[in-house]
Amino acid sequence: MSIYLNKLLTDIDEITTEIRSRKKLGIEQTIRHKNEKSLNEKVSLELKDGWQVLRENRQSVRMSKGKPLSEQLEDEVWTILASMKFDEMSSGRDFKIKVGPDVNSRQIDVFAKDSETAIMVECTSCEVPKKKNMSSLIEKIESFKGKISNSIKAHYDADTKLKLRWVIATRNIEWGTADLEKAKAAKICVLRDNEINYYNKLTSHLKGAAKYQLLAHLFSNEKIDGLDITVPATRGKMGGVTFYNFLIKPSDLLKIVYVSHKASRDIENLETYQRMLQPKRLKSIAAYIDEGGQFPTNIVINIKSKNDLRFDRIDKIGNSSFGRLHLPNHYSAAWIIDGQHRIYGYAHSQRNEEGKKDNATLPVLAYVNMPSEKEAQLFVDINCEQVRVSKNLLNEIYATLKWDSDDYSERIYALRSRVIMTLDSRKTSPFYDRVITTNKDKSHFRCLTLTSF
């Protein structure tokens, strides 16, 4: 047992077993006694304490009881992270990390680690929604997070380039603005009800690939030292836009791409993307991959991180160059214009499971900072022609995708779509329920489209 971290799960089967246990809404116990009268007496005492009988045997009774809300939250967060395929997870409710000499080790609710990051989560909840002062918890984490960071680095070797992040996960707590600002200043990420629900649903949809959407949230645009992806590539220009062609392992590409807006964590927006990434199609592509299938056509992406992109030229042939491309070392650096199902199909594939060495590669055409108008047009042209996604759905997606963009023109693009969708949803609007959207069929009254607007 390590002197720095105790009770870690590293085996896939062990983690899977604990996922099943933590997903249960109640806790269970077995009451045993050879004497029937004594057994009934013990069961009666447990019934008074809130336990219920699941099944009765000759000399034992299996009983269950609902988990306390605090345990439910802890188990939910733990299960989400474990389902995201982190390599190591805390075991049980008594996981501890050494704080320092002559000081008791600190209990941590949830711990998760992969090859680039380590996440520590403190969970707190209320029985009913209410405001709560969170500053004392923030201050407590600040007081020991430096020492815990040292213990983690010592445990995993000082040369290991791990990016660490603390998270406070809450249920039924209304955060004050001052506490949110205080947590942000301390680099402590806050996950409230909506975010927890979002990542729970996202994980059921994208499997382990959802982890990189979470990490993009926790380490927004931060350099990740352990995320070092270099590929041989050719560089050229088309229409004034720089592009690269290269081959990359799907597991590496999943780390730097996104299909939903990396800043959007809204369930309704997620449902829009689910209509774009169809679960049945993802599963069929995963089956095709597991049978040895390959994809000869390019994944098309737009890299939004020019400053973190480096190309070491080796040779030049005409207007094209050949060399080594160092991809951005932060999560969600590139948006997938085409190939969403192919890349996320790998997330559902058995070939993507931990411990399996897969040398398969995907061909990628990567644009760099393509202007929003060209990106939108290319996205519409490819997806409407090749996978028959309606322009209406794409306009709905762009209403979210570009909403928080740093590019003013992209925000205007999103605003146009969102204004129309708002006119359609407000009962006082003359256009109420008159716009055809992906979840509403056309009728004699509902006959307008986002595209025509």
Side-chain angles (χ1 to χ4, degrees):
M1 182 181 290
S2 169
I3 61 171
Y4 295 104
L5 284 75
N6 74 335
K7 296 188 176 183
L8 277 169
L9 296 178
T10 58
D11 181 75
I12 298 173
D13 292 335
E14 288 181 336
I15 293 175
T16 302
T17 299
E18 183 135 352
I19 287 176
R20 284 197 294 266
S21 174
R22 290 192 182 239
K23 276 188 174 181
K24 294 179 180 178
L25 296 178
I27 52 178
E28 298 181 4
Q29 65 169 342
T30 301
I31 307 298
R32 292 185 174 87
H33 205 285
K34 292 181 179 180
N35 182 279
E36 184 178 351
K37 182 179 179 181
S38 299
L39 177 62
N40 289 336
E41 288 175 352
K42 293 177 75 172
V43 169
S44 295
L45 290 173
E46 298 298 336
L47 289 171
K48 291 178 181 178
D49 197 31
W51 290 83
Q52 294 180 331
V53 174
L54 284 179
R55 59 182 178 273
E56 298 180 82
N57 301 310
R58 188 176 178 181
Q59 295 181 342
S60 67
V61 176
R62 188 68 174 171
M63 307 190 75
S64 70
K65 185 179 182 180
K67 291 179 185 174
L69 191 61
S70 58
E71 289 187 15
Q72 289 181 32
L73 175 60
E74 184 179 318
D75 286 348
E76 184 177 15
V77 173
W78 190 98
T79 300
I80 290 171
L81 295 179
S83 300
M84 287 179 173
K85 307 295 184 184
F86 278 89
D87 302 329
E88 299 182 24
M89 296 293 304
S90 52
S91 175
R93 305 194 188 283
D94 195 32
F95 173 77
K96 294 180 179 179
I97 300 180
K98 190 177 180 67
V99 178
D102 304 321
V103 180
N104 291 332
S105 296
R106 175 75 191 182
Q107 187 271 337
I108 306 296
D109 290 338
V110 181
F111 175 84
K113 175 197 169 289
D114 65 5
S115 57
E116 292 104 25
T117 63
I119 313 299
M120 288 72 63
V121 187
E122 288 290 291
C123 301
T124 184
S125 59
C126 294
E127 291 293 333
V128 294
K130 67 177 183 179
K131 293 182 179 180
K132 184 177 180 180
N133 189 320
M134 302 298 294
S135 62
S136 59
L137 179 57
I138 296 169
E139 291 167 4
K140 188 183 294 184
I141 293 173
E142 282 191 286
S143 69
F144 56 65
K145 71 176 184 178
K147 293 176 181 178
I148 284 184
S149 174
N150 292 335
S151 292
I152 292 172
K153 290 175 181 177
H155 179 84
Y156 290 107
D157 186 353
D159 295 329
T160 302
K161 296 178 180 179
L162 280 178
K163 192 80 170 181
L164 310 181
R165 182 64 85 241
W166 281 88
V167 175
I168 298 176
T170 64
R171 277 282 186 206
N172 291 334
I173 291 177
E174 184 180 339
W175 281 71
T177 304
D179 283 343
L180 287 172
E181 290 297 325
K182 190 170 186 176
K184 183 178 180 181
K187 289 194 172 181
I188 298 171
C189 185
V190 176
L191 295 182
R192 291 169 285 181
D193 300 66
N194 286 344
E195 286 94 349
I196 295 169
N197 295 340
Y198 174 84
Y199 286 118
N200 197 356
K201 192 165 186 178
L202 185 69
T203 303
S204 69
H205 192 52
L206 296 185
K207 307 300 182 185
K211 174 173 69 173
Y212 303 112
Q213 305 290 308
L214 171 67
L215 294 178
H217 175 191
L218 302 186
F219 304 101
S220 180
N221 294 320
E222 290 186 35
K223 179 181 178 182
I224 309 297
D225 292 330
L227 188 62
D228 185 13
I229 304 172
T230 304
V231 292
T234 56
R235 181 177 67 183
K237 272 198 171 184
M238 185 183 298
V241 178
T242 300
F243 69 88
Y244 297 90
N245 275 304
F246 56 85
L247 296 174
I248 188 171
K249 290 183 178 180
S251 56
D252 285 337
L253 185 59
L254 280 168
K255 295 178 181 180
I256 64 167
V257 297
Y258 62 97
V259 66
S260 63
H261 194 296
K262 57 186 176 182
S264 172
R265 288 172 288 277
D266 186 277
I267 289 292
E268 291 182 3
N269 293 333
L270 177 57
E271 289 173 352
T272 299
Y273 295 114
Q274 283 182 312
R275 291 194 290 273
M276 183 81 184
L277 282 174
Q278 302 162 17
K280 286 184 179 179
R281 193 170 179 208
L282 290 174
K283 289 178 182 178
S284 65
I285 287 176
Y288 172 74
I289 292 168
D290 289 333
E291 291 169 1
Q294 298 290 332
F295 301 106
T297 53
N298 284 329
I299 304 290
V300 183
I301 64 175
N302 188 21
I303 298 175
K304 304 278 194 173
S305 183
K306 188 174 182 180
N307 293 334
D308 297 323
L309 199 68
R310 192 173 90 245
F311 182 69
D312 300 329
R313 194 178 76 180
I314 296 175
D315 199 1
K316 186 175 182 180
I317 303 173
N319 294 325
S320 300
S321 301
F322 173 78
R324 294 186 184 88
L325 179 63
H326 302 264
L327 291 167
N329 55 357
H330 60 85
Y331 300 109
S332 292
W335 187 54
I336 307 173
I337 297 174
D338 184 45
Q340 298 92 342
H341 283 93
R342 276 170 282 162
I343 183 59
Y344 284 105
Y346 270 92
H348 286 252
S349 167
Q350 294 177 10
R351 287 166 64 175
N352 191 50
E353 291 179 0
E354 294 293 337
K356 289 191 177 183
K357 292 185 178 180
D358 187 5
N359 294 320
T361 55
L362 290 172
V364 175
L365 170 62
Y367 292 98
V368 181
N369 288 330
M370 176 184 282
S372 59
E373 294 81 4
K374 289 186 177 181
E375 179 195 50
Q377 188 59 53
L378 183 60
F379 183 46
V380 168
D381 290 346
I382 290 175
N383 285 283
C384 285
E385 296 300 324
Q386 293 188 10
V387 295
R388 302 186 183 277
V389 174
S390 71
K391 289 187 178 182
N392 236 30
L393 172 56
L394 300 181
N395 282 322
E396 284 184 52
I397 289 173
Y398 263 63
T400 301
L401 187 71
K402 302 299 182 184
W403 187 253
D404 296 316
S405 173
D406 294 330
D407 187 324
Y408 176 78
S409 62
E410 291 182 348
R411 295 202 304 275
I412 290 296
Y413 192 109
L415 180 60
R416 289 202 301 264
S417 289
R418 193 166 289 195
V419 164
I420 300 161
M421 292 167 71
T422 302
L423 285 171
D424 176 63
S425 63
R426 288 188 178 175
K427 290 186 177 181
T428 55
S429 165
F431 297 102
Y432 174 65
D433 200 28
R434 298 212 61 182
V435 180
I436 304 167
T437 57
T438 50
N439 59 347
K440 293 180 180 179
D441 296 328
K442 183 179 179 180
S443 70
H444 70 282
F445 182 79
R446 189 186 300 117
C447 54
L448 304 173
T449 67
L450 279 169
T451 305
S452 61
F453 261 98

